[in-house]
Amino acid sequence: MGAKTGLLVYMDAASSGPLRLPAEADTKRTAELLGRLYPGWEVMESAGCELGDATYPPDGTAYLGSFPGADIVCDRHWVGDYPSRLPQHLIDASVGRRLVVHWMHSVVDFLAFAVWEDGQLVRSLSLSPGSGVMENIGEPLPFEAPFWAGEHPVEPVPGWPAKGPYPLPFHPLDLGEEALRFFFGFVLEGMPTPEDMDPYEVALRGFRLTDPDGPTPEEKESAMRAIISRMGPPRIFTYGPDVSMVEVEGL
């Protein structure tokens, strides 16, 4: 699985459940949404993108769309380990509505999602196999029950170097796909149902955004180089004759 998300979605109470959206976002209302969520930021309009490809934009890019009953924001800038710590102005913008954040990263099997109703946090979950459960606030939602009950265990891959069983009772990305369907009515990977929305039929507007209080591009590049310098050499695996995973030596 390779899905990644950095989603914030504001929904009217009457629009709870699967989203049914027109193909194009409302231009004026999207501009107003941008102003509310990014006050004081430097903004430059860029190419738009379909929702199915927009859920995890490049750094410094956001995709937004205001639709009847729902406002969609795709921006990795807000992604973190603790959804409950979402900046307050983003939560304040949800008063009278439902706010759902959905953050997922396939490289580290990370998932986080949270729900605010009329500005009040009612559920937040954040977990990954490397860090365990980082946040677990509120009662689990109905779609979570089979996962916590052990009905979706992670089967070991023969030969994979991981030691011991998978450290969580389910795979976060599997739960993440069910969360997408439960909250928004679409999936990014896996088999869609006839009731699901096609996220590739919904167009969002694109923007290049610069946080006036954030690091400069040069500072970000320097930090990334420092991280890379601390990384060890890559380990490469392939399938052996018995379909188990074996490490490729000498590359």
Side-chain angles (χ1 to χ4, degrees):
M1 301 179 70
K4 302 174 185 177
T5 63
L7 280 165
L8 289 82
V9 181
Y10 298 87
M11 295 179 280
D12 294 348
S15 301
S16 297
L19 302 178
R20 295 293 178 259
L21 306 175
E24 299 287 340
D26 182 286
T27 300
K28 180 179 178 181
R29 291 181 56 183
T30 299
E32 293 171 350
L33 175 68
L34 182 70
R36 289 197 304 273
L37 302 187
Y38 299 90
W41 288 48
E42 181 181 329
V43 177
M44 180 180 299
E45 189 156 6
S46 61
C49 188
E50 288 75 28
L51 174 59
D53 288 325
T55 57
Y56 197 75
D59 188 28
T61 295
Y63 298 108
L64 287 79
S66 182
F67 303 88
D71 295 326
I72 299 176
V73 181
C74 303
D75 188 351
R76 60 193 284 187
H77 176 80
W78 309 115
V79 176
D81 291 335
Y82 301 93
S84 65
R85 300 177 187 176
L86 193 71
Q88 189 61 42
H89 79 281
L90 299 177
I91 300 171
D92 292 342
S94 71
V95 173
R97 310 178 81 189
R98 166 181 286 183
L99 167 61
V100 178
V101 301
H102 186 287
W103 301 332
M104 189 163 66
H105 201 296
S106 58
V107 173
V108 292
D109 293 354
F110 163 74
L111 169 68
F113 62 82
V115 184
W116 288 259
E117 300 285 2
D118 193 19
Q120 299 299 311
L121 180 68
V122 297
R123 177 63 174 143
S124 179
L125 178 67
S126 174
L127 72 170
S128 72
S131 300
V133 178
M134 292 170 279
E135 187 161 270
N136 188 1
I137 300 172
E139 293 297 322
L141 297 168
F143 72 91
E144 300 179 54
F147 291 87
W148 293 114
E151 298 178 17
H152 298 275
V154 178
E155 299 297 334
V157 177
W160 190 253
K163 299 178 180 179
Y166 196 76
L168 295 171
F170 52 81
H171 200 293
L173 302 187
D174 291 340
L175 180 61
E177 290 291 331
E178 286 305 309
L180 285 172
R181 175 176 281 132
F182 178 84
F183 291 125
F184 314 129
F186 69 87
V187 294
L188 294 174
E189 296 192 341
M191 185 63 66
T193 69
E195 294 78 24
D196 287 342
M197 175 185 73
D198 185 348
Y200 295 94
E201 292 183 352
V202 177
L204 304 178
R205 296 182 63 196
F207 302 92
R208 291 287 299 169
L209 302 170
T210 302
D211 181 356
D213 299 320
T216 65
E218 293 76 17
E219 290 170 335
K220 290 182 179 180
E221 178 66 23
S222 177
M224 180 59 67
R225 286 198 300 268
I227 292 173
I228 293 173
S229 69
R230 295 193 297 268
M231 296 173 63
R235 298 175 65 192
I236 301 174
F237 293 82
T238 188
Y239 287 104
D242 60 352
V243 199
S244 65
M245 299 294 295
V246 294
E247 188 168 1
V248 178
E249 302 288 349
L251 291 183

